[in-house]
Amino acid sequence: MKTAMHQNQRIVLDQIAREQYQLLYLQGKNGELSCPVCSEKVRLFLGIQEQPYFYHIKSPQHTCPEPIIEEMEPVIVERNGFRIPQGRTIIETTKNTSLFSPAKTIECSISFKKNEGANQLVHDSYLRELASNGVILDKSQAAAVVETEGSLLVLAGAGSGKTRVLTARTAYMLNVKKIDPRNIMLVTFTSKSAGEMKNRLTTYPQIKKDQINNLVTGTFHSIFYRILMFHEGSNWSSERLLKKEWQRDKILKEAGKEIDLSEKEFSYDLALQQIGFWKNSLLFPHNVKPESEWEEKAAYLYKKYEEYKAQKGLFDFDDMLIGCYQLLSSSPSLLELYQNRFHYFLIDEFQDINKVQYELIKLLSGKYKNVCAVGDDDQAIYSFRGSDPSYLLEFEKDFPYAKLVSLDQNYRSSHEIVSTANEMIMKNKVRRLKKMKAQFESGTSPMLFFPFDEEEEATMIVTDIQEKIVQGAKPSDFAILYRTNAGSRAVFERLASSNLPFKIDLDSEAFYERRIVKSVLAFLKISLDEDDNQALSDILPILFLSQTVLKDLKAESILKDCTYLEALSHIKTKHAFQEKKLKKAVQLIHSLKFPSPIKSIEIIEKDLGFLDFLKKRGNESNQQDKGSDDLKDLKVAAKGFTSIQAFLSHAEHMSAMNKEIKNLSKHFPDAVSLSTIHRAKGLEYKNVYIIGAVDGSLPHDYALDSSRNGDFAALEEERRLFYVAMTRAKHELLISVPQNRRGKKANPSRFLSPLMKKKKN
């Protein structure tokens, strides 16, 4: 049904502005729409697989006949002897050229052929024994397992069973090659991975528990910290470790006061991330060459941070690796001791290795050079942490006699998904040539769908999930992946208002708790309550006033018997122009409560100088986390509200929901997963939705800026990020291409171009 009634006005879907669909959906949800024939309540169906339509709430299968819309004869009036058509109020909506775009499938250009690569090598008795215990290896996996001497690079594509290879190889070395487990170092990137590998080894035939216990396994940090503790325990006591981020944050903030960096204005969390990047790249304070004003401030904080730690005898997690590297580099006899101890190295996720980790492995393997590096350069997505895929790409440079084994069978995803992901990633120029092959086809092609904007995108996804759950799917079958946490705002809100259980990353920040967003909301809050002490504190930096002014404002409000906000206009500063601006600002803040939320935010943005504040204070200098982007996202969120109070209540409710969902996540394993693509790496889901597949989001704006300046490394990493997202899906992959993003027309991600043009052979 394409017709409904709202407040006595007929709504015809094909004749209304495209941007009104989400509003119609909400009106239907609120019981404001009715059937023009039977007057029963109706709602708008807004999903992925079907065109939008109205349906009866009580009986969704029932359809009334579409009403006939008669053309009304114009009313003619006579004026000055002329017969003129009389203008009248238009009840029917007008034809709009922007219509709903149906979803499109991405057809496979290569037909599926059943691959016989899963047959194990039968000539090796231990591999046959493994197979009889359920550990079946294909030809390439078996080659990686039995090739134990010398250096080996294992290119383990997405879903290729690299954990199975690493554990089977370890078992083979222990059982067949009779290698002393104390001579083997197995390095993983998470403690969880190390634990899983040890647990899996206990199930392998002829592997004894004491052999597993004697293996040196763990993360880089855990292994090399043990070495430090053994030799310099007094300097590296765990009591000296800065375990918590707030401890490191506090040191930086104290240093920041020396150069007048406000806690409310400067991104200390990003500065900590930048310092970690420099340290993992073995760049010390005197080596750093800042490339922007923001990096200059971060470099200053880095210098002060290191000085403070040295003075207090403290260290952080990055120092564990640097300290061990310096210890081994400065003591040839100690280095020789460990070179003789460790004959074999197995390193997981080698594409994510950084400079200090690589240098440590090079040092320790210098004598025997038995390094087995397992990784996939197509999944290198952590350059912001200092990871460098060039160590995998140029492995033979430091290990010239290394052998190469490529695991090219994908056991996770369908042929339709694998072939689409192959076409995507092959456009990268800097990579090892490989093409993954699937083991099954699902009959379901990956799909592109085209919501109007972020709000409609969220509605369509939640509707699609609800439909599939009715058909028998479980909530845990679904994952919604996005480029940055800020991009999850709309889908989080839609899920929060649904009956679907869902979970989010424990460290994901609530959108309305983001620093820039909170500052804008503070203006709205104080316009409603002019004595809101916290809101007043939050807006002072934007007005270029320090927190010390708070005391003066409180005193002034008592003396003048006025509100805190009114007291702002009485504050004396050293500059007459600033006092004049404050008086004008107070008047503007007074008026914020009257317009719609989006209009009020625009006043804050322009008339109150919020954008100028962002530029002056450096919030625009960090490429990946610009304050103005948060402003744009906030305006999209505000679009659906007519009053300031309703919008603020919504923001408060969503922040509370964020905390509640985090607390409940561990109790409800059967839940829809919301995750950044970075966090989803290594995981898999039956059905995956990738949201925001447009230029500026994926690829991110900063990568596009870099490519315009001739540097394509960031753009290639963004394509790898897209590839990682695609290969999380086992059976169904749905990619959202919103027509508008952050209030402006968006262009489909350039990564989709070869897929959208592709035709089936």
Side-chain angles (χ1 to χ4, degrees):
M1 194 166 73
K2 293 290 185 180
T3 314
M5 298 296 293
H6 179 254
Q7 296 178 352
N8 296 321
Q9 180 174 336
R10 193 189 302 272
I11 305 292
V12 182
L13 267 184
D14 295 340
Q15 295 178 1
I16 65 167
R18 180 69 181 82
E19 60 266 27
Q20 296 298 310
Y21 280 31
Q22 177 65 23
L23 178 60
L24 279 175
Y25 169 82
L26 294 174
Q27 288 170 343
K29 200 172 179 185
N30 295 333
E32 299 173 22
L33 301 181
S34 61
C35 174
V37 178
C38 68
S39 299
E40 290 288 333
K41 297 291 185 187
V42 297
R43 285 186 183 175
L44 177 65
F45 175 86
L46 201 50
I48 293 173
Q49 311 284 356
E50 298 179 64
Q51 293 270 352
Y53 62 87
F54 294 109
Y55 65 94
H56 293 75
I57 297 173
K58 288 185 179 177
S59 50
Q61 304 306 319
H62 170 71
T63 56
C64 288
E66 292 284 354
I68 298 170
I69 302 171
E70 296 179 1
E71 291 290 334
M72 295 177 66
E73 290 293 328
V75 178
I76 306 297
V77 296
E78 218 174 280
R79 284 183 188 162
N80 300 323
F82 294 95
R83 289 171 59 80
I84 302 170
Q86 172 68 51
R88 63 176 183 270
T89 304
I90 299 173
I91 301 299
E92 301 303 335
T93 46
T94 56
K95 184 75 177 173
N96 188 284
T97 53
S98 178
L99 298 176
F100 184 88
S101 299
K104 296 178 181 176
T105 56
I106 303 172
E107 301 295 347
C108 288
S109 56
I110 302 169
S111 58
F112 175 69
K113 291 179 182 176
K114 179 65 179 172
N115 196 291
E116 301 302 325
N119 293 333
Q120 73 274 17
L121 289 177
V122 293
H123 67 263
D124 190 285
S125 59
Y126 188 67
L127 295 191
R128 287 201 302 273
E129 192 173 354
L130 282 177
S132 65
N133 280 266
V135 186
I136 302 171
L137 303 170
D138 65 37
K139 191 173 181 180
S140 297
Q141 289 173 333
V145 166
V146 302
E147 199 69 63
T148 59
E149 301 305 308
S151 295
L152 175 70
L153 176 61
V154 180
L155 290 179
S160 63
K162 67 181 178 62
T163 302
R164 173 169 294 199
V165 166
L166 277 166
T167 50
R169 179 184 170 89
T170 305
Y172 189 84
M173 292 166 74
L174 296 173
N175 185 265
V176 178
K177 296 292 186 176
K178 307 298 182 188
I179 294 168
D180 188 335
R182 290 170 296 184
N183 295 148
I184 300 172
M185 181 187 288
L186 173 56
V187 188
T188 63
F189 266 77
T190 65
S191 302
K192 184 182 176 185
S193 296
E196 285 175 354
M197 287 191 192
K198 289 176 85 169
N199 288 335
R200 195 177 290 194
L201 278 167
T202 61
T203 67
Y204 284 8
Q206 301 182 48
I207 299 298
K208 299 181 178 63
K209 196 169 183 180
D210 64 324
Q211 286 179 298
I212 298 171
N213 291 336
N214 282 327
L215 286 169
V216 178
T217 63
T219 64
F220 277 99
H221 286 87
S222 67
I223 291 172
F224 292 110
Y225 181 56
R226 276 180 263 167
I227 293 174
L228 282 174
M229 280 295 291
F230 186 78
H231 296 284
E232 297 182 346
S234 59
N235 295 335
W236 297 93
S237 165
S238 59
E239 295 171 0
R240 298 172 180 266
L241 173 62
L242 295 166
K243 295 178 185 176
K244 306 291 185 183
E245 185 165 328
W246 68 262
Q247 295 172 305
R248 303 191 290 278
D249 202 48
K250 186 179 178 184
I251 298 169
L252 256 59
K253 285 176 179 175
E254 285 298 316
K257 288 177 182 177
E258 297 176 23
I259 54 173
D260 197 29
L261 287 184
S262 167
E263 293 181 26
K264 293 181 180 289
E265 301 158 28
F266 185 76
S267 303
Y268 281 98
D269 53 340
L270 292 173
L272 272 174
Q273 184 177 299
Q274 182 64 50
I275 289 169
F277 173 85
W278 282 328
K279 293 180 77 166
N280 287 317
S281 303
L282 290 177
L283 284 171
F284 302 109
H286 61 279
N287 303 125
V288 171
K289 295 177 181 176
E291 295 182 2
S292 67
E293 186 182 343
W294 186 86
E295 281 196 6
E296 281 180 19
K297 293 171 185 172
Y300 174 85
L301 295 178
Y302 181 20
K303 179 174 175 287
K304 290 292 182 180
Y305 176 70
E306 293 301 312
E307 288 174 356
Y308 180 89
K309 287 196 290 103
Q311 183 185 351
K312 301 289 184 182
L314 302 172
F315 65 96
D316 60 23
F317 286 100
D318 295 326
D319 292 324
M320 293 177 180
L321 301 184
I322 293 169
C324 198
Y325 173 71
Q326 291 172 335
L327 175 69
L328 296 175
S329 299
S330 61
S331 176
S333 58
L334 191 62
L335 175 60
E336 187 179 6
L337 176 73
Y338 280 102
Q339 285 178 335
N340 289 330
R341 162 74 191 275
F342 295 113
H343 298 192
Y344 299 89
F345 298 86
L346 289 82
I347 305 159
D348 191 16
E349 304 286 9
F350 197 74
Q351 76 280 349
D352 294 331
I353 206 166
N354 61 39
K355 185 171 179 62
V356 65
Q357 292 164 343
Y358 186 68
E359 293 299 330
L360 277 164
I361 292 299
K362 257 191 5 178
L363 278 176
L364 290 175
S365 65
K367 184 171 183 179
Y368 293 101
K369 293 192 180 295
N370 291 321
V371 175
C372 174
V374 181
D376 180 13
D377 53 303
D378 288 336
Q379 297 185 72
I381 57 173
Y382 293 112
S383 65
F384 65 91
R385 293 200 312 216
S387 299
D388 190 346
S390 68
Y391 298 124
L392 184 150
L393 292 166
E394 301 169 10
F395 186 73
E396 292 88 347
K397 191 168 84 174
D398 289 311
F399 301 92
Y401 301 106
K403 297 182 179 71
L404 175 69
V405 172
S406 184
L407 308 183
D408 60 0
Q409 303 297 314
N410 183 309
Y411 295 96
R412 174 192 300 145
S413 307
S414 69
H415 167 69
E416 293 87 346
I417 292 169
V418 171
S419 64
T420 302
N422 282 340
E423 292 223 26
M424 158 85 68
I425 200 61
M426 68 186 290
K427 298 299 178 184
N428 269 5
K429 291 182 170 60
V430 183
R431 65 184 289 262
R432 296 257 183 179
L433 289 178
K434 65 185 99 56
K435 186 174 279 193
M436 301 302 293
K437 303 178 187 71
Q439 299 299 304
F440 68 96
E441 61 179 342
S442 66
T444 303
S445 297
M447 186 172 285
L448 303 173
F449 62 102
F450 308 92
F452 180 78
D453 62 5
E454 301 95 323
E455 297 296 328
E456 195 178 281
E457 175 180 66
T459 296
M460 292 171 76
I461 290 171
V462 171
T463 299
D464 197 61
I465 293 174
Q466 287 171 327
E467 275 194 301
K468 286 168 180 166
I469 286 176
V470 168
Q471 294 164 9
K474 298 182 298 181
S476 55
D477 290 339
F478 303 94
I480 304 168
L481 307 183
Y482 34 85
R483 174 64 179 81
T484 62
N485 274 315
S488 67
R489 193 263 320 155
V491 78
F492 175 91
E493 293 179 6
R494 207 70 71 251
L495 280 166
S497 64
S498 75
N499 59 355
L500 292 172
F502 69 101
K503 57 186 177 182
I504 56 176
D505 295 336
L506 291 179
D507 62 348
S508 66
E509 184 181 27
F511 175 75
Y512 297 102
E513 295 298 315
R514 291 174 70 84
R515 188 173 62 256
I516 300 302
V517 174
K518 278 185 77 173
S519 297
V520 176
L521 295 180
F523 278 104
L524 301 180
K525 287 177 182 177
I526 204 163
S527 75
L528 293 180
D529 178 3
E530 297 185 5
D531 285 318
D532 188 325
N533 187 48
Q534 184 57 53
L536 182 67
S537 172
D538 288 341
I539 70 169
L540 289 180
I542 293 88
L543 300 173
F544 296 97
L545 294 171
S546 67
Q547 295 297 318
T548 56
V549 173
L550 269 177
K551 288 181 182 177
D552 298 334
L553 285 170
K554 290 176 183 177
E556 201 67 37
S557 72
I558 295 169
L559 288 171
K560 296 283 195 304
D561 190 23
C562 63
T563 64
Y564 287 165
L565 178 61
E566 289 169 337
L568 261 177
S569 60
H570 300 300
I571 284 291
K572 298 296 178 188
T573 68
K574 295 177 182 178
H575 309 287
F577 78 91
Q578 189 178 18
E579 292 174 13
K580 187 177 178 182
K581 283 183 78 174
L582 282 174
K583 286 182 172 61
K584 184 183 176 186
V586 169
Q587 293 173 354
L588 285 168
I589 296 167
H590 269 304
S591 68
L592 290 176
K593 63 171 86 66
F594 301 112
S596 66
I598 192 164
K599 291 289 183 188
S600 295
I601 293 170
E602 285 170 354
I603 292 169
I604 296 166
E605 187 179 36
K606 295 168 187 171
D607 299 340
L608 278 164
F610 200 92
L611 279 178
D612 291 336
F613 160 77
L614 293 178
K615 289 171 186 172
K616 287 177 183 175
R617 293 291 179 166
N619 293 85
E620 296 299 271
S621 60
N622 186 274
Q623 292 178 318
Q624 294 199 47
D625 196 23
K626 292 186 176 179
S628 58
D629 290 343
D630 283 347
L631 259 180
K632 293 169 190 169
D633 288 331
L634 187 63
K635 285 198 285 188
V636 173
K639 194 172 63 174
F641 295 86
T642 54
S643 77
I644 300 294
Q645 185 60 63
F647 183 47
L648 289 175
S649 296
H650 171 77
E652 191 175 332
H653 178 58
M654 286 302 114
S655 292
M657 281 293 292
N658 186 278
K659 291 175 186 173
E660 188 178 339
I661 294 299
K662 285 178 183 175
N663 291 333
L664 292 174
S665 289
K666 50 192 164 195
H667 303 297
F668 295 101
D670 187 17
V672 177
S673 293
L674 263 67
S675 175
T676 62
I677 301 170
H678 285 98
R679 284 282 183 184
K681 184 173 174 293
L683 303 176
E684 58 184 40
Y685 307 91
K686 189 174 181 181
N687 308 309
V688 167
Y689 302 86
I690 303 173
I691 66 177
V694 294
D695 279 353
S697 174
L698 191 59
H700 196 285
D701 273 323
Y702 91 95
L704 296 174
D705 289 340
S706 296
S707 67
R708 289 181 197 111
N709 295 324
D711 181 3
F712 296 96
L715 198 60
E716 294 221 336
E717 178 158 333
E718 291 290 298
R719 189 180 275 110
R720 294 196 293 268
L721 194 61
F722 209 142
Y723 175 78
V724 166
M726 295 171 80
T727 53
R728 298 312 93 202
K730 294 196 281 187
H731 287 273
E732 193 167 9
L733 173 65
L734 300 104
I735 302 170
S736 171
V737 188
Q739 297 168 26
N740 296 273
R741 175 176 176 264
R742 290 178 170 157
K744 290 187 176 180
K745 183 161 180 58
N747 294 314
S749 171
R750 60 194 59 204
F751 300 152
L752 294 173
S753 296
L755 308 180
M756 295 173 86
K757 293 173 185 172
K758 190 170 60 172
K759 291 182 180 177
K760 191 173 182 180
N761 289 341

